Amino acid sequence: MRLLRIVPDDTTFDFIRFRRISFPISALLSIVALVAFFTLGLNFGIDFKGGTLLEVRYANNTLNIADVRSRLESLDLGEVQIQEIGSEGEVLIRVAQQPGGEQAQQAVVGKVRAALGDGVEYRRVEVVGPRVSQELLSYGIVGLMMAVFCILVYLWFRFEWQFALGASIANFHDIVLTIGFMAIFQIDFDLTSVAALLTILGYSLNDTIVIYDRIREMLRRYKKMPTEELLNASINSTLSRSVITHVTVTLALLALVLFGGRAIHSFSVTMMFGVVLVGTYTSIFIASPLLIYLGVSTRAMAEKAEKEAKSPNAKAERLAP
Amino acid sequence: MLYFSKWKAFAILAVSAIICLMAVPSLLSPAAYDSLPSFLQRKIVLGLDLQGGSYIVLQVDAQSVRKIRLEHLRDDARRVLRDAKIGYTGLAIQGDAVQVRIRDGQDVDAALTQLRALAQPLGGPMSTSGQLDTDVARDGNTISLTPTAAGIQSRTIQAVSQSIEIIRKRIDQLGTTEPSIQRQGADRIQVQVPGLQDPSRLKALLGQTAQLTFRLVDNTMSPQQALQGRAPAGTEVLYSQDNPPVPYLIEQRVLVAGEDLTDAQPSFDPTTREPVVTFRFNTNGARRFAEATQANVGRPFAIILDNHVISAPVIREPILGGSGQISGNFTVQQANDLAILLRAGALPVPLQVVEERTVGPGLGADSIRAGLIASIVGATLVALFMIATYGLFGLIANIAVAINVGMIFGVLAMLGATLTLPGIAGVVLTVGIAVDSNVLIYERIREEARAGRSAISAIDAGFSRALATILDSNITTFIAAAVLFYVGSGPVRGFAITFGIGILTTVFTAFTLTRLMVALWVRWQRPQRVPI
């Protein structure tokens, strides 16, 4: 059986020179993302905004959106979004947070039920009060920052500080772009999206580490090679793995997007964007070239190795695992 | 790297198999599951988003805890000063404190001693911290009692514990399977009732304090007159639950309270055939009810639940038997629920619903189906791709990944963790990442072979070099998953659990299973050439 080879052996793409294009592109995209974030804003779901969400189903084509709309508008509940979803008479109703604290939110469900009358299946009802939504949002932000920080510390111990900083900048870049993507396409930003963001972060990092690992290994082995050449060789030698892995992850995510159901749809789409587009691109075109600017060079490594060779603890650094 | 002693190989296979088998009880029918020995009765709990049900978070409001504490302090102060025969005026709640003015300056010291005794040490009478739950301060002839923040906090925590007990009793009456009632933080209670179709009934059951009192109706003036601001001392106006509500002028003094009930049952009134709730007092309640009804024949008394008048019958004759009935235009379910509330007892403080999520069973089933289809499609695509890329080694990777997934479910079952929809997403993603470990290994083997090593040496070197990378990359990802689990709630946590477990099992299978299978193949085939 002939095996599938997506990437030929011994590729020699000059990825590092591409930084003259990729850095400006990333800078531009980051600005676009930030502008989108500050002008369009994120489409906060009720997890963070508070309010009520109902998913109802009308059996046998009895759904009449105009009728639903007029019934709900007569309730005078402020902003009410009505969205037809799927093809089986399902409607998603979102009611903005009501003035008047926790009890006022609770009253909404009863009012909507009364207004819609019988013959309706309530598939999902969610009510998030003002206190909880505030907390969920701050926990979400704290969680993201804590994760980045913990990872930074780990990498700093495991690699040199340049790698830790490079990975963190790359990570930040991914988060900014993904948030920009969510703002531009107004994808629901809820607890599930925070999970998606953190996963993208972990995954993109995973990818960056694989290449960094190789760079570190080659830095130790080829002490005379020019830095750019060494970075290029590292990326090229891991390229086959990067591509194959991304094909498999894309296949897995594609299945989630196409068949995973609506409940995790925004999660899947965000992951697809973050993991497949941003994650791969970042580790190759941003994280690796960044090391040049952060002062990782073969000469610096050689000096360091020399210094360590003189010190009595020279054994601490192993050359090859 | 490629040598495994027989014992080691056996241990790896045994551990993998046992962990995978732990997932099996979760697949059994309930009857078969119950027949298992108890150490095997561990299974994955399906989240409410998958099986349908209601999730509610209730909050004990610190403000109402404070209010109730202040009321008790006021009543205690009144009793203490009366017992000590100390004259006072203006005993009232002022903001966050109870204030009282002592009439005679000479009594102030004595009053202080008496009132100081009302302050309880924090953490119970055996506590040695020396902190009290109430500050007692003097300003001239005025003494103020202020509950301390720590005192309110400890009472809030206490109120949460008591409420959990009451809620458990109430929900047990609903007859649903496996409800979960947990404390969440200092002042919240999380209630999960799987399979419950109608959350409004749950909320009605939990949203009521169910403080039942029997009190006399004041007939000296009409409620309308009282509402115009002339209510006699010691009375208040309360409304019925009719539409429109009917006002009643009610004495504040309680004849008998809900604590003195021993039983309450729904039944039907023999004459009117209406649903009613019959109840029975304990000896103390029966005695007090008998005395009160004897002394007030011909007057109406009110049955009051949470400041609503349920009914106000006239006492026709003394009620001596210690039992009675409450009627009030109930439906059968209302009578049933009221009986549940009365049997379970009153909540110590009112609870607020701050979050509610209900998933209908239809949607849950749809989600399981969607998740299952996505998993099967994803796994199949990945498996085919791996075989196309690596041939036999691809098959080995697929076996390792399949066992990996089995182990995730096994660990979930051992932990008794909850599988949610985002959790399924986590499994699917783990499949993608588990494959990466194998890809890293195989690509490294190819590289080593290209660099001119012999087949066996290339395979050996490929493993040892790739495993270092796998460890590095997976530890960083695991950190992200651990942070997710720690700060996350609901869907985030559900995802973090399976993803975190998935990373651990991935590292385990990459280090052991894949390597063992390749080693066995090497020993059997003695390859001259790397097959990938």
Side-chain angles (χ1 to χ4, degrees), chain A residues 5 123 125 127 131 217 245, chain B residues 59 356 358 360 366 436 444:
Chain A
R5 283 276 164 103
R123 289 169 63 81
V125 177
V127 184
R131 287 200 232 198
E217 186 186 325
T245 295
Chain B
Q59 175 150 352
E356 175 200 340
T358 302
D366 282 1
D436 180 48
R444 195 70 200 224

Side-chain angles (χ1 to χ4, degrees), chain A residues 4-5 47 106 123 125-127 129 131 135 158 198-199 206 213-214 217 237 240-241 245 259, chain B residues 59 188 203 352 354 356-358 360 366 370 388 429 436 443-444 446-447 469 472-473 484 492 495:
Chain A
L4 180 71
R5 283 276 164 103
D47 285 346
Q106 294 302 319
R123 289 169 63 81
V125 177
E126 298 188 355
V127 184
R131 287 200 232 198
E135 280 175 24
R158 196 76 182 82
L198 275 158
T199 316
N206 191 60
D213 235 35
R214 181 58 68 95
E217 186 186 325
S237 59
S240 183
R241 171 264 158 195
T245 295
F259 306 105
Chain B
Q59 175 150 352
R188 296 217 176 125
K203 276 197 298 187
Q352 278 185 339
V354 292
E356 175 200 340
R357 292 171 199 266
T358 302
D366 282 1
L429 196 69
D436 180 48
E443 288 300 310
R444 195 70 200 224
R446 278 169 53 173
E447 264 183 71
T469 308
D472 263 336
S473 62
L484 268 181
V492 177
F495 175 78

Side-chain angles (χ1 to χ4, degrees), chain A residues 92-218:
Chain A
L92 202 63
I93 300 165
R94 278 178 242 240
V95 183
Q97 184 165 307
Q98 302 294 303
E102 309 289 344
Q103 260 120 34
Q105 317 307 319
Q106 294 302 319
V108 172
V109 179
K111 285 184 190 167
V112 172
R113 271 177 179 262
L116 294 184
D118 293 336
V120 182
E121 182 197 344
Y122 289 83
R123 289 169 63 81
R124 182 156 64 115
V125 177
E126 298 188 355
V127 184
V128 181
R131 287 200 232 198
V132 173
S133 57
Q134 275 300 317
E135 280 175 24
L136 289 178
L137 184 59
S138 57
Y139 282 158
I141 294 168
V142 169
L144 270 177
M145 294 197 319
M146 257 175 72
V148 174
F149 181 74
C150 294
I151 289 165
L152 186 82
V153 171
Y154 171 76
L155 288 183
W156 183 35
F157 277 104
R158 196 76 182 82
F159 290 78
E160 280 77 34
W161 66 267
Q162 290 97 331
F163 290 88
L165 190 59
S168 303
I169 294 173
N171 247 319
F172 201 68
H173 165 262
D174 289 351
I175 292 176
V176 167
L177 288 199
T178 310
I179 286 181
F181 169 79
M182 300 190 78
I184 290 169
F185 291 96
Q186 290 291 298
I187 294 173
D188 277 355
F189 190 81
D190 51 20
L191 274 178
T192 317
S193 315
V194 175
L197 270 178
L198 275 158
T199 316
I200 291 166
L201 191 150
Y203 192 82
S204 159
L205 201 71
N206 191 60
D207 219 43
T208 304
I209 300 295
V210 169
I211 299 180
Y212 274 12
D213 235 35
R214 181 58 68 95
I215 293 173
R216 184 174 55 173
E217 186 186 325
M218 294 192 71

Side-chain angles (χ1 to χ4, degrees), chain B residues 30 38 71 83 127 179 307 432 531:
Chain B
S38 63
E71 282 166 4
D83 288 354
S127 165
N307 292 327

Side-chain angles (χ1 to χ4, degrees), chain B residues 24 32 38 94-95 126 159 188 285 297 303 349 410 412 440 442 452 472 528:
Chain B
V24 172
S38 63
Q94 302 278 344
M126 307 299 283
R188 296 217 176 125
V297 172
I303 301 169
V349 287
L412 279 176
L440 274 168
Y442 295 165
D472 263 336
Q528 296 305 306

